[in-house]
Every structure is written in structure tokens, then in C-alpha cells.
């Protein structure tokens, strides 16, 4: 039996909302679950929506009764790119340095991902280096982060472009967690080129600004890709910043 579903935000709300149908689950047919994400024009989640904000149709026929519920979506897999700044600015004493804390928080974050989630890691200083390609083996990625060595210059925009290149053909929800002070001193690519690449590939960038932060650049990367920036968390709440980003991705 051919089943088609149309889910749309009401006409009044369409001027402010963006709706994405993440996937449709018909395994309990005739009960059908449609998982959707509604964001505003800046990419932030819109909460507290009512059933009256939506219209639903099956085979072009209105469905008068349906239920709406907010959930943590642990079914849809993610493709997560960890991008970690290892430039000299992130390696300033005293110990533990911002780089030490970033790696520690990133490793703890890996344990929060679902088994089906793919994850990769890029570390950058003078040049970006892919330390782990996309894999479901979080332990392998964690082990590669133990080998991170600090460098000098910062090639943040090149690292973003490289990370987007690894994500662009993935079918999962694509996200980049950028742990950085937001400064670039070496890249061939510009910030606008990095943004264009992310936007074209549908990659959301979630910067976590750590160290001596260039706030403007990190907000620019987040606001123009539908991500959210967290600026200067201290070492006690750095892991919380990772967890908050993951929560937003699951809602």
C-alpha cells in the first residue's frame, strides 16, 4: 500500500518557522509516526507548539485527528564531526591547558552518542589533520584524541571545509562541533568560504568557544548554519556545553 504524508506548519507560522521532516516510521501501520523538527529562521528549535500549528494529510486527504509530542530523538543517527583547535593559543599554561580540557570533554562526549551515530575528528593547528574518519567505533576515535599534539598557527577555516567534505554525502543529520578560540591565522579558505561549504552541505556548526575567544567569528559560524554557540565555558561546565549541543540535536 502506497502511503504519502504531508506535514506542514500553518500558513501564518510559515513566515517565521522552518519545518524539516526527519523521517517517517510506518512499522506500526496503520499508526504512522512522523518525526519533524521545527526551527526559526536562525536555526533554533521552536518549542511549545500545538497540534493546531500543523496540518496533516495522507494520500492528499486531510487527517483530522493526530497527536503531537516533543521527544528526544535517539532513533535518527547523527554524523558528528569533532573539530579541535590545537594551535598555540589553546596550549597556554597553567595545566590543564584549554587543549587538555577540550580533549577531555570531547572524549566524555563520545560516550553520550548512540551506537548508530557516526563520528570523526579533525585536529588543526598549522594545517588540519583528520585523526579519525567517520566510524561508529567511539573508542577508536577517543584513542586518537590521546595523541593530539599542539602546534603553532591556526587553520580553522580550512579545518571546517575539510570536515564538511567528509560529511556532505552522509544521509544522517550532519553536525560539526567546533572546539576553538575562533581565531584563524593560516587558512587558505576564508570564513565566507567555510560558511558556504557548510550551508551547501547542510552541516550545522556548534562552536564551543574556549580560551581567548573571538566571539564574533564563532557566532557568525553558528548563526549562519543553524547551530548554537557556547562561549567561554569554564572547565567545570565545558562538558555541559557538549551535552547541551547533543540535547538540541536530539529534540
Amino acid at each position: 500500500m502506497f502511503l504519502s504524508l504531508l506535514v506542514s506548519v500553518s500558513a501564518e507560522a510559515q513566515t517565521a518557522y522552518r519545518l524539516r521532516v526527519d523521517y517517517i516510521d510506518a512499522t506500526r501501520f496503520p499508526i504512522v509516526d512522523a518525526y519533524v523538527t521545527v526551527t526559526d529562521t536562525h536555526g533554533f528549535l521552536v518549542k511549545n507548539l500545538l497540534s493546531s500549528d500543523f496540518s496533516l494529510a495522507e494520500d492528499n486527504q486531510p487527517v483530522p485527528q493526530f497527536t503531537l509530542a516533543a521527544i528526544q530523538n535517539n532513533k535518527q543517527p547523527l554524523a558528528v564531526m569533532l573539530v579541535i583547535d590545537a594551535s598555540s593559543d589553546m596550549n597556554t599554561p597553567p595545566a590543564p591547558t584549554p587543549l587538555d580540557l577540550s580533549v577531555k570533554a570531547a572524549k566524555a562526549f563520545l560516550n553520550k552518542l548512540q551506537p548508530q551515530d557516526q563520528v570523526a575528528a579533525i585536529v588543526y593547528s598549522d594545517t588540519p589533520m583528520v585523526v579519525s574518519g567517520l566510524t561508529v567505533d567511539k573508542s577508536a576515535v577517543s584513542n586518537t584524541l590521546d595523541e593530539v599534539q599542539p602546534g603553532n598557527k591556526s587553520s580553522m577555516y580550512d579545518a571546517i571545509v575539510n570536515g564538511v567534505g567528509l560529511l556532505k554525502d552522509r544521509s544522517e543529520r550532519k553536525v560539526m562541533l567546533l572546539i576553538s578560540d575562533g581565531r584563524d591565522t593560516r587558512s587558505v579558505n576564508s570564513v565566507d568560504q567555510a560558511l558556504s561549504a557548510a550551508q551547501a552541505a547542510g552541516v550545522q556548526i556548534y562552536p564551543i568557544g574556549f580560551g581567548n575567544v573571538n566571539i564574533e567569528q564563532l557566532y557568525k559560524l553558528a548563526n549562519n548554519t543553524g547551530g548554537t554557540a557556547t562561549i567561554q565555558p569554564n572547565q567545570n561546565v565545558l562538558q555541559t556545553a557538549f551535552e547541551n549541543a547533543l540535547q538540541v540535536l536530539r529534540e
Side-chain angles (χ1 to χ4, degrees), residues 57-237:
E58 178 183 353
D59 291 334
N60 294 321
Q61 297 300 313
V63 177
Q65 294 182 334
F66 58 90
T67 59
L68 180 70
I71 64 165
Q72 285 287 305
N73 180 4
N74 292 316
K75 292 184 178 181
Q76 184 192 18
L78 302 174
V80 179
M81 177 65 61
L82 292 174
V83 179
I84 299 176
D85 184 351
S87 64
S88 57
D89 287 345
M90 295 288 283
N91 196 45
T92 55
T97 66
L99 177 58
D100 294 333
L101 295 172
S102 297
V103 169
K104 180 180 179 181
K107 287 164 64 72
F109 168 78
L110 294 173
N111 294 326
K112 303 290 185 179
L113 295 174
Q114 296 295 314
Q116 70 270 24
D117 292 334
Q118 299 272 341
V119 63
I122 289 178
V123 175
Y124 71 88
S125 53
D126 293 1
T127 58
M129 180 174 64
V130 178
V131 296
S132 175
L134 282 163
T135 177
V136 295
D137 190 346
K138 284 76 173 180
S139 295
V141 179
S142 181
N143 291 337
T144 64
L145 295 179
D146 287 330
E147 307 300 322
V148 170
Q149 297 295 321
N152 295 307
K153 302 291 185 179
S154 172
S155 55
M156 180 177 70
Y157 305 141
D158 288 349
I160 292 172
V161 171
N162 285 9
V164 169
L166 292 175
L167 292 176
K168 65 179 183 179
D169 294 327
R170 302 299 304 187
S171 60
E172 302 91 345
R173 186 171 183 179
K174 296 169 283 192
V175 60
M176 178 178 293
L177 287 176
L178 171 66
I179 307 96
S180 173
D181 62 6
R183 301 180 184 277
D184 190 298
T185 60
R186 183 96 175 187
S187 287
V188 174
N189 291 280
S190 67
V191 62
D192 290 333
Q193 288 172 312
L195 281 172
S196 294
Q199 291 165 344
V203 175
Q204 295 174 291
I205 301 177
Y206 286 76
I208 298 175
F210 207 46
N212 183 19
V213 180
N214 183 334
I215 297 175
E216 180 181 352
Q217 288 297 72
L218 293 185
Y219 274 122
K220 183 174 183 177
L221 291 168
N223 293 341
N224 287 280
T225 61
T228 305
T230 303
I231 304 299
Q232 290 181 320
N234 62 45
Q235 65 179 14
N236 296 321
V237 297

